Amino acid sequence: MKQKSLLLTLAVLIKVAMLPAVAQVQFTTKQWSLQLDNSGKITSMKSLSLQKEFLIADKATALMSIKKDQHIYAPGSCTWNAKKSELALFYPQTGVEAKVKVQRNDNYISFELTQLTPQDKVDLVLWGPYPVTIADTIGEVVGVARSKEFAIGIQALNVKTLGGYPHTESDIEPSYDVFEGGNKVDVVENDLHKQLFRGDVARPTDNGAVLQAYCRNRSKDRVIENWGHTAYLAPAFQDGGVVGSKIALFGVANADVLPTISQIELKEGLPHPLLDGEWGKQSVHASESYLIMDFGVNNLKEAIAVTKQAGLRYLYHGDPFDNWGQFKLHSNEFPQNWASMKECVDIAKAAGVRLGVHTLSNFITTNDPYVTPMADPRLAKVGYSWLSEAIDANTKEIGIEDPVFFQQFQNNTLKSVAIGSEIIRYGSVSATAPWKLLDCQRGAFGTHAAPHAQHDSIGKLMDHPYKVFLTSYALQEEMSKTLARLFNETGLMQISFDGLEGCFSSGMGQYAKQLFTKTWYDNLKPELKGKVINDASMPAHYFWHIYTRMNWGEPWYAGFRESQLQLRLKNQQFFRRNLMPSMLGWFSLRPETTPEDIEWMLALGAGYNAGFGLSTSLETLQKHGLKNELLELIKTWEQARMKNIFSEAQKEQMRSLKHEFHLKMTGNQEYQLTPVYNAYFSHTQKLKQPGEPVFSTFQFNNPAAAQPVAFIISFAPGKDFDPDVTFDQITITINQQDALLLPVSLKRNQFLKCDGKTVRLYNKQWQLQQTIELNKSIPVLSKGPNEIAFDGKYSGENGANVKVEIRAVGEPELIHTGK
């Protein structure tokens, strides 16, 4: 290279510098420069405005390495062709030469592998890991590391270039599983103070972070370890191999990260969803809450009315399908299948409501036509063998030549094989040769038992603990196109790709799950593409450009406030570091759900600017005695959150969990925000000698002004308690004032509620049973410490604990919206 000539050529796009003794090539954007030496190793990642180096020099790696025969090789030389804007990398240990096209843009630099000679010698190409000193905020999915002053990021520019590091042949990225070890309630205690790890496109290190991506050569069949199987056939997949792998690297000020990714999406042809005309990652509508409730042609109007009463725009069916695979809808709710859904969508749209549905991605139920009466040959297979002898339609012990794929019983729920179009279930595999499948059920799942010849192929079917089958890539592609067609024909506007891990059945890990969502996205009609809100339980780097948000947090495993609370809170950190809209997850509105529960959730959502999914039913709402109050609270809070009326100081208070809030509109578009201070206590039945006190004493610190006490008392015996025991002669004494006697017998699953003025008795569905007449005024909480004595008499000897919640309200704050 002649330095003078090269500098002139790159005056606008790329600057080249020659350092003493070592040739260097430098690529410069508006804010950042990246430098390589003559071996292809990165030697600098520098902020131009800060004049600060962010590369960890002693850990620096090559721009692109290759993997062959389980070894990773860095290039030995790198030459720059300014005229072609192309790097030539040579790998002397393998004899491989690569050509990498370089394109400089205002805020990022792209690198594309355009030629690899010979290509079949390379198992994969590795971009990075690029070590940087930035350690403040590491976005493991989006692939961006941010300090207080600067950010460096990597973006895969096509779906076959995978974010992260190829730790496994399965390409399943590292992730945190809250269900691991059988604990579904929440994050295990040992992980409470850890960053929950989901992917590693950007990964924290002891010195900062690394950024990394790769692309695998899938031109040949491979047997890999995959998803609980030590031997799993990953079939060849023809996608052009590693040639065409492309990434972008950028360094910008923090404020420019999202605008830069937006620019990359638009210029590089990545998905760029718009919600109501605004990019999805910055749209206020991306975190809209929604009601999860079954609906159909017979009850749609009632479901729409409830949705509008709650001030929400999205109504979501959590279980609409009779089968997964070809996605036939429940006939009792949608008698004309998809046509009935379109009818519902049109009616809802006229009312200002958008409908959505929940799926399990590529899961296939055993009643689906892909399974019965003839097994589709594209059902996922763990692997194959051959029949060692012919069998007739009644054979119960089936000889096979090789048992390796059949004797793996982890993640093998249905124990099924396919021979032609017949599915056969087996109980076990013989312990020694000659190998046989034992205790076979012929013609399983409605297929036809038939004779089969010696040496016929027999495939071990891949399944899932949900008792469903899964897909090869060809069938996965068909299913994702079917889902797109469902949306095109009906006009549905929301979907959750639950169960995306099912796509691991193709043997292509994160690549397959990203292809599933990309195929769906690419096949939407223009008027829907990018406008359908979509989320999933599993993130991925390329998928980041498609999904609207992620919405973790399940309500099924504990109380309204307890089920997976720490996971929900840790997810807010995950969303923030990965530049995503925030969501709280799903909650379940049940008969016992209180207005206080709902406001706790709503205030938490307002604090994080996070939406939620609220699962309920028309039946539950119709029976709930406080239905109108609950729905009005949702409407008030959600409208306020979407208007962004709360200050950062108020949001910080709402995130604290130290107290709660009540919000109401006061007229003239003003809101009144009132802090609520509360504490929970438990009164236990004590069996003591006659005359010995059995009351409980609690301490409650009231930060607010002196006021009559508000409380909620509940009595909910569990399965180990006598359901007929009652709790009578209830007294509350505060700071040695005269005891307040509540003349009521509290029964199982009843509530006593006092707002500081009136005491009311409710049943378990919060229907008013009685307004309690008191013979004296409600005792007053002092400002500061209070001693509360609580007593009562059980009617039997096997009564459950009585739960007491003490509540006090602080000084209201008026919020003027100016709208």
Side-chain angles (χ1 to χ4, degrees):
M1 277 187 277
K2 295 182 180 179
Q3 184 180 14
K4 183 176 180 181
S5 174
L6 188 55
L7 287 172
L8 289 173
T9 304
L10 303 177
V12 176
L13 296 179
I14 303 174
K15 297 179 180 179
V16 176
M18 297 293 293
L19 297 181
V22 181
Q24 305 278 350
V25 57
Q26 180 172 295
F27 307 103
T28 305
T29 68
K30 287 183 176 179
Q31 301 187 48
W32 182 66
S33 69
L34 181 147
Q35 191 168 272
L36 305 176
D37 67 16
N38 62 2
S39 71
K41 181 180 178 181
I42 294 181
T43 56
S44 176
M45 288 184 169
K46 189 174 184 179
S47 164
L48 300 179
S49 59
L50 298 172
Q51 283 296 297
K52 184 172 181 179
E53 180 63 63
F54 288 100
L55 181 74
I56 303 177
D58 62 350
K59 296 183 180 298
T61 58
L63 173 71
M64 190 187 81
S65 301
I66 63 172
K67 184 177 182 181
K68 181 181 183 296
D69 300 330
Q70 304 304 311
H71 295 286
I72 293 176
Y73 300 99
S77 66
C78 170
T79 57
W80 170 247
N81 186 320
K83 187 174 182 179
K84 292 184 177 181
S85 191
E86 183 180 81
L87 291 166
L89 303 173
F90 181 65
Y91 301 83
Q93 306 96 321
T94 63
V96 171
E97 184 176 3
K99 299 292 179 64
V100 176
K101 182 76 172 178
V102 182
Q103 177 65 50
R104 171 204 168 280
N105 298 272
D106 286 347
N107 287 319
Y108 72 96
I109 306 163
S110 67
F111 299 91
E112 179 181 9
L113 176 59
T114 57
Q115 184 178 331
L116 194 68
T117 308
Q119 182 174 348
D120 60 356
K121 283 192 174 183
V122 172
D123 299 324
L124 61 79
V125 297
L126 178 61
W127 302 96
Y130 307 128
V132 295
T133 58
I134 297 174
D136 293 346
T137 304
I138 313 300
E140 67 267 47
V141 172
V142 69
V144 180
R146 288 176 284 161
S147 69
K148 294 180 175 60
E149 51 192 3
F150 202 69
I152 295 179
I154 186 172
Q155 293 288 289
L157 298 185
N158 50 44
V159 69
K160 72 178 182 180
T161 304
L162 305 182
Y165 193 87
H167 300 281
T168 66
E169 291 292 306
S170 68
D171 296 325
I172 298 174
E173 66 268 63
S175 65
Y176 177 85
D177 184 2
V178 71
F179 296 133
E180 191 171 322
N183 177 32
K184 297 181 179 181
V185 174
D186 214 340
V187 176
V188 296
E189 186 174 355
N190 288 344
D191 294 338
L192 283 176
H193 303 294
K194 297 179 182 177
Q195 173 173 314
L196 295 186
F197 199 59
R198 295 187 174 100
D200 62 347
V201 191
R203 181 169 190 161
T205 64
D206 293 340
N207 309 103
V210 291
L211 307 172
Q212 50 202 0
Y214 69 100
C215 184
R216 187 181 295 280
N217 181 357
R218 304 177 190 275
S219 61
K220 299 177 183 178
D221 289 354
R222 296 178 297 132
V223 175
I224 63 173
E225 185 174 344
N226 182 45
W227 206 11
H229 295 79
T230 55
Y232 195 101
L233 176 63
F237 184 68
Q238 304 305 325
D239 61 357
V242 296
V243 171
S245 179
K246 189 177 183 182
I247 65 164
L249 293 172
F250 62 85
V252 294
N254 283 333
D256 295 325
V257 172
L258 277 176
T260 297
I261 297 178
S262 177
Q263 178 191 8
I264 291 172
E265 287 184 354
L266 291 169
K267 187 155 186 177
E268 300 293 337
L270 299 178
H272 188 73
L274 299 177
L275 294 177
D276 297 320
E278 188 177 10
W279 184 37
K281 291 299 185 287
Q282 293 180 311
S283 171
V284 296
H285 298 290
S287 66
E288 279 198 57
S289 300
Y290 54 102
L291 201 61
I292 305 166
M293 188 164 60
D294 290 358
F295 60 82
V297 294
N298 296 322
N299 65 359
L300 179 66
K301 291 184 179 178
E302 292 89 342
I304 289 173
V306 169
T307 306
K308 292 182 70 68
Q309 188 178 351
L312 302 177
R313 292 200 305 166
Y314 287 87
L315 171 62
Y316 186 79
H317 200 307
D319 182 24
F321 298 110
D322 182 60
N323 58 39
W324 301 326
Q326 299 190 16
F327 299 108
K328 180 183 177 296
L329 296 161
H330 291 307
S331 57
N332 59 328
E333 295 176 330
F334 307 98
Q336 301 301 315
N337 201 20
W338 292 8
S340 294
M341 179 62 82
K342 184 180 187 308
E343 177 186 345
C344 290
V345 168
D346 292 343
I347 292 171
K349 184 177 180 180
V353 172
R354 304 174 183 187
L355 300 186
V357 293
H358 194 76
T359 73
L360 268 293
S361 299
N362 76 326
F363 287 22
I364 300 177
T365 50
T366 56
N367 66 335
D368 190 85
Y370 285 135
V371 175
T372 185
M374 297 177 64
D376 193 291
R378 298 168 297 173
L379 292 173
K381 310 295 193 304
V382 176
Y384 296 86
S385 187
W386 298 268
L387 296 182
S388 57
E389 56 188 11
I391 61 173
D392 62 26
N394 298 310
T395 302
K396 299 294 193 284
E397 294 187 357
I398 299 175
I400 57 175
E401 294 185 2
D402 189 339
V404 65
F405 295 115
F406 301 82
Q407 58 191 8
Q408 303 173 108
F409 289 98
Q410 182 180 348
N411 203 10
N412 183 3
T413 303
L414 297 177
K415 297 180 182 176
S416 297
V417 300
I419 310 175
S421 61
E422 180 188 359
I423 296 178
I424 302 167
R425 300 187 71 182
Y426 65 99
S428 60
V429 180
S430 61
T432 59
W435 304 109
K436 290 187 177 183
L437 304 182
L438 307 176
D439 304 319
C440 293
Q441 174 194 340
R442 302 299 302 275
F445 305 110
T447 59
H448 177 65
H452 301 286
Q454 186 180 18
H455 304 311
D456 276 359
S457 175
I458 177 171
K460 170 65 186 75
L461 290 170
M462 177 62 184
D463 60 48
H464 184 275
Y466 279 22
K467 297 184 179 180
V468 293
F469 292 116
L470 298 165
T471 61
S472 65
Y473 177 73
L475 187 53
Q476 167 186 313
E477 184 178 45
E478 183 170 294
M479 284 181 61
S480 57
K481 288 180 177 178
T482 300
L483 277 174
R485 185 162 53 85
L486 169 64
F487 276 69
N488 291 337
E489 293 185 14
T490 63
L492 286 162
M493 293 299 291
Q494 185 181 351
I495 187 172
S496 177
F497 293 105
D498 199 1
L500 272 177
E501 68 273 14
C503 296
F504 297 161
S505 62
S506 68
M508 296 194 295
Q510 61 162 309
Y511 187 21
K513 74 180 183 184
Q514 297 188 140
L515 281 168
F516 187 91
T517 54
K518 183 179 186 298
T519 301
W520 168 82
Y521 182 89
D522 288 345
N523 282 276
L524 291 176
K525 297 190 298 188
E527 55 266 38
L528 289 180
K529 186 177 293 185
K531 300 175 177 62
V532 177
I533 282 185
N534 68 98
D535 61 46
S537 57
M538 297 187 76
H541 179 59
Y542 187 92
F543 187 25
W544 185 94
H545 301 288
I546 295 174
Y547 61 67
T548 312
R549 69 229 180 162
M550 312 308 284
N551 195 24
W552 287 289
E554 297 186 13
W556 325 116
Y557 309 114
F560 188 92
R561 308 186 190 202
E562 292 82 20
S563 186
Q564 299 189 346
L565 174 59
Q566 291 302 322
L567 178 67
R568 298 176 196 272
L569 297 181
K570 282 190 166 292
N571 282 338
Q572 306 315 307
Q573 302 168 21
F574 169 76
F575 300 144
R576 179 182 62 84
R577 65 180 182 260
N578 283 286
L579 304 168
M580 294 159 50
S582 290
M583 297 293 288
L584 288 179
W586 284 26
F587 293 85
S588 180
L589 195 165
R590 300 168 181 163
E592 68 272 15
T593 303
T594 69
E596 289 77 15
D597 288 335
I598 292 293
E599 271 204 293
W600 169 85
M601 173 191 72
L602 292 165
L604 193 63
Y608 286 104
N609 190 22
F612 56 86
L614 186 63
S615 177
T616 189
S617 68
L618 281 172
E619 181 182 10
T620 295
L621 288 173
Q622 288 162 355
K623 292 181 179 179
H624 202 295
L626 301 178
K627 164 196 165 186
N628 292 334
E629 182 180 345
L630 298 180
L631 297 179
E632 184 61 31
L633 285 170
I634 295 170
K635 181 177 181 178
T636 299
W637 276 95
E638 274 298 281
Q639 287 182 348
R641 183 177 71 86
M642 298 304 290
K643 292 176 184 176
N644 195 28
I645 71 166
F646 302 112
S647 68
E648 287 305 313
Q650 290 166 337
K651 291 177 184 178
E652 183 179 1
Q653 287 293 309
M654 293 173 190
R655 295 192 296 264
S656 71
L657 296 180
K658 292 181 179 179
H659 50 272
E660 300 174 18
F661 290 87
H662 174 62
L663 184 71
K664 69 177 183 179
M665 290 195 69
T666 61
N668 298 321
Q669 297 299 309
E670 289 184 340
Y671 290 85
Q672 181 177 288
L673 182 67
T674 304
V676 178
Y677 308 99
N678 65 335
Y680 297 92
F681 308 107
S682 181
H683 175 75
T684 304
Q685 184 174 21
K686 307 178 183 71
L687 300 179
K688 298 186 177 182
Q689 61 185 359
E692 186 177 0
V694 293
F695 63 85
S696 298
T697 302
F698 313 121
Q699 301 296 321
F700 177 70
N701 186 50
N702 174 27
Q707 58 190 281
V709 65
F711 57 79
I712 301 173
I713 301 171
S714 58
F715 182 47
K719 62 181 180 180
D720 296 330
F721 298 92
D722 184 347
D724 297 322
V725 169
T726 61
F727 190 64
D728 309 287
Q729 302 178 29
I730 304 169
T731 61
I732 299 177
T733 305
I734 300 179
N735 299 331
Q736 287 79 50
Q737 301 176 48
D738 289 343
L740 173 66
L741 173 67
L742 302 176
V744 63
S745 179
L746 192 62
K747 300 177 182 177
R748 180 176 56 144
N749 294 326
Q750 287 186 330
F751 302 90
L752 273 173
K753 184 174 182 179
C754 174
D755 60 2
K757 301 174 183 177
T758 307
V759 181
R760 296 180 174 89
L761 176 68
Y762 296 90
N763 68 7
K764 67 178 182 179
Q765 293 174 323
W766 285 94
Q767 295 165 340
L768 182 62
Q769 303 295 289
Q770 181 184 351
T771 299
I772 310 300
E773 295 187 7
L774 304 175
N775 58 6
K776 60 179 60 178
S777 60
I778 295 172
V780 173
L781 285 170
S782 300
K783 179 178 175 62
N786 290 266
E787 183 179 87
I788 300 171
F790 182 82
D791 203 357
K793 183 177 181 181
Y794 288 91
S795 63
E797 295 185 355
N798 195 27
N801 292 353
V802 176
K803 181 180 176 181
V804 182
E805 179 183 0
I806 301 297
R807 298 174 66 86
V809 298
E811 190 67 27
E813 182 178 357
L814 278 180
I815 303 174
H816 305 276
T817 66
K819 299 178 182 179

